Structures are given as structure tokens and as C-alpha cells.
Amino acid sequence: MPELPEVESIRRVLKNSLINQKLQKYKIFDQRINRFNTVNPRNLGVLLEIYRKGKILQFNFKNNSIFFHLGMSGRLDLNGLKNKHTHGIFFFDEDVLLYDDIRKFGYIKILKNDLANKQFSILGPDALSLSKLDKIFVMNKAKKSSTSIKKFLLNQKNISGLGNIYVNEILFLAGIHPHSLSFKLQDTNWNDIFSYTKKVLKKAIKNNGTTLSDMTFVLPQGVYGNNQNNLYIYAKDKCFSCSNKIDNIFIDSRATYVCKKCQKIIN
Ligand SMILES: [Zn+2]
């Protein structure tokens, strides 16, 4: 599933190509992908900006915004060929943007701008740009939460943008066992989580995101991510730091990798 670094990498490519182009016409073919829209307004005009919060992209026009959530397997493809998994097509002045999605967990949502702000405000603070106040918000929520820290960090209402790969990485680097209960974490644990979150996400963006062996993630012009060569614990057998065997467990049916030597249960 595309997480923050993958969606941010996509945003940067699209921003370079599409900003200031007029959206001439578009069509969303699939009812499931179109499920949140009651109308598909015509004449959206010129694309002014592409924003991102968490894993969601917002294409901002004068009066409306188009939101893209890529779900498990959504792709935004620039000037590629329409295929049987293409569910939306957007004709700009000079470029054509395709929305492809094999599993169809993603969506395209079009809202008037006065409703658009709400779309982002239900998400927790963006994991890439946490202010001091954002960090306090996250820590306060955690103090009231008795779920595991793994599950807490995956909940987009607590903090937005993290998914399974990067939560595995961050908890490993922070030395925290993913089963630790959120309310047990101390300030020093949170300092570690916040600082590694920034490092892990920045490195992943620099590497154009992570393309796993299923090859699902690809940038809009067909380039694959390179961060899979820089992961510490995700899908590994041996600990990077102590060479101990990595345990592969499931939390909330998500693959979770743990080094019992390096990651302690906080209690
Ligand atoms: Zn270890």
C-alpha cells in the first residue's frame, strides 16, 4: 500500500508536470472508485496546486478539489496506456493522467473547496511535518489509548501517513516492541519515535519510495522506488544491528517484524 513517502514522491512528479494546466475533461468509469461522488462537475479549470496530507492527494482548482486515495494498489500514471485496470482518466492541456487500481480499495472524490478542508481535518497531523503542538496532540491521544503502539501509529486519525512498512522500521529503530501498549510509552520513547519517523520518511522520499517484490508501487512516469534496498527490518530474517533472528508475527493481520533483543516491551 502506498504510504506517505510513495504518495509524496508521486506528488512531486505530478506537480512538476501538471500545475497550471487546464483540466479539459475527465471521466471516472468505475462506480466503486467514484463511490463518494454524487455529481462529477464539469469545467474544473486550471490546476492550481497539488497538496498532500498523510496518504491522500488533493488536486486544488479554483472552486473544487479532487482527492485521490490510492488504497492498496492505486497508481497515478502520466501519459501511459489505458488498460483494463484504468478507472479514471484526466485530460489536461498537455498531459493525460490515468488512475489505475487492480484491487479498487482506492477512491477519487470531488468536493467543493469549502467542504474540502474537512476532508483533511479528520486526519491526524501529517507524519512528515510534525510541529511541537502536533507531537503533544499525538502523545496525549496515546496516553488515553490501550491499543498496541503498532496499531496506534497505523491509525490515520492519530497521525497520518504511516503504513505497515514504515511503522515496522520506526519501531525497530526506536527499540520499541510493537506490542507495547500506547499509554505506557514515556516521553523519551516518543522523542525516539518522532525523530526516527522524520529520518525514515525523509530517506524514503529521497529514494522515491519503496517498491516491494510485488512491484505494485511505481511513479507516474514508470520509475520504480529504490527504498526497498534501505529497509532495516521489514521482511528481513536477521537483525541489522545484533544479527539475532527476526520474528515475523501478525498484529491486526499486518505482517510485523521484531527483534526481541533490540525491541523492548515498554511497561
Ligand atoms: Zn537486534
Side-chain angles (χ1 to χ4, degrees):
M1 170 197 275
E3 304 181 32
L4 189 154
E6 290 74 43
V7 179
E8 176 62 19
S9 302
I10 292 169
R11 187 186 77 88
R12 292 179 183 189
V13 173
L14 294 182
K15 192 173 148 78
N16 279 337
S17 309
L18 297 178
I19 297 288
N20 292 328
Q21 290 196 48
K22 191 175 168 198
L23 179 58
Q24 303 279 4
K25 60 177 178 174
Y26 68 95
K27 193 159 173 65
I28 304 167
F29 314 108
D30 188 273
Q31 270 320 304
R32 196 173 142 72
I33 299 300
N34 200 31
R35 64 192 177 275
F36 294 115
N37 300 318
T38 44
V39 283
N40 294 125
R42 294 168 79 167
N43 305 324
L44 295 182
V46 173
L47 178 62
L48 302 174
E49 187 51 274
I50 303 176
Y51 301 107
R52 178 195 57 75
K53 187 171 181 186
K55 305 174 193 173
I56 300 178
L57 286 176
Q58 177 184 10
F59 281 41
N60 184 234
F61 298 86
K62 187 163 175 252
N63 298 316
N64 297 277
S65 287
I66 306 178
F67 291 89
F68 292 92
H69 192 304
L70 304 177
M72 296 296 286
S73 55
R75 285 178 175 180
L76 286 163
D77 185 14
L78 210 49
N79 303 316
L81 292 175
K82 185 172 175 282
N83 61 76
K84 65 176 177 178
H85 301 299
T86 301
H87 306 305
I89 186 159
F90 298 79
F91 294 92
F92 288 88
D93 287 331
E94 290 168 15
D95 294 292
V96 180
L97 181 69
L98 305 175
Y99 178 82
D100 296 355
D101 195 343
I102 293 176
R103 299 183 63 186
K104 298 203 277 191
F105 285 105
Y107 61 75
I108 302 169
K109 192 190 240 182
I110 305 172
L111 291 173
K112 290 218 177 298
N113 281 336
D114 48 351
L115 293 172
N117 291 336
K118 225 177 154 185
Q119 183 70 19
F120 275 174
S121 64
I122 53 170
L123 295 174
D126 184 74
L128 186 63
S129 49
L130 294 170
S131 68
K132 226 174 181 173
L133 276 177
D134 292 337
K135 291 177 184 173
I136 292 169
F137 170 89
V138 175
M139 289 163 74
N140 282 339
K141 279 200 105 175
K143 278 184 190 135
K144 294 177 212 142
S145 167
S146 53
T147 61
S148 71
I149 185 61
K150 168 110 199 259
K151 210 172 157 186
F152 179 88
L153 292 173
L154 287 173
N155 183 338
Q156 302 300 299
K157 289 180 182 164
N158 297 330
I159 181 170
S160 63
L162 301 178
N164 197 39
I165 296 174
Y166 297 107
V167 169
N168 270 296
E169 295 291 295
I170 292 161
L171 289 177
F172 169 69
L173 292 168
I176 299 170
H177 194 291
H179 272 156
S180 304
L181 299 180
S182 307
F183 74 90
K184 299 268 190 180
L185 267 64
Q186 305 294 314
D187 287 1
T188 69
N189 302 130
W190 280 109
N191 286 340
D192 290 341
I193 287 178
F194 292 139
S195 98
Y196 285 116
T197 294
K198 197 170 177 179
K199 279 184 195 149
V200 162
L201 295 180
K202 283 201 159 169
K203 189 183 71 177
I205 293 168
K206 211 174 145 200
N207 289 323
N208 283 326
T210 299
T211 302
L212 296 175
S213 52
D214 62 8
M215 304 307 265
T216 297
F217 173 67
V218 60
L219 285 168
Q221 287 158 328
V223 176
Y224 288 102
N226 198 31
N227 197 57
Q228 59 279 14
N229 303 320
N230 292 277
L231 299 174
Y232 290 102
I233 193 162
Y234 187 86
K236 304 283 183 201
D237 299 324
K238 240 176 157 191
C239 177
F240 175 84
S241 166
C242 76
S243 300
N244 203 26
K245 185 180 171 296
I246 298 291
D247 287 343
N248 183 4
I249 59 174
F250 284 88
I251 296 181
D252 228 17
S253 66
R254 311 298 302 276
T256 303
Y257 299 89
V258 192
C259 174
K260 271 189 294 219
K261 248 186 187 173
C262 297
Q263 292 174 269
K264 303 283 177 237
I265 297 249
I266 312 293
N267 52 31

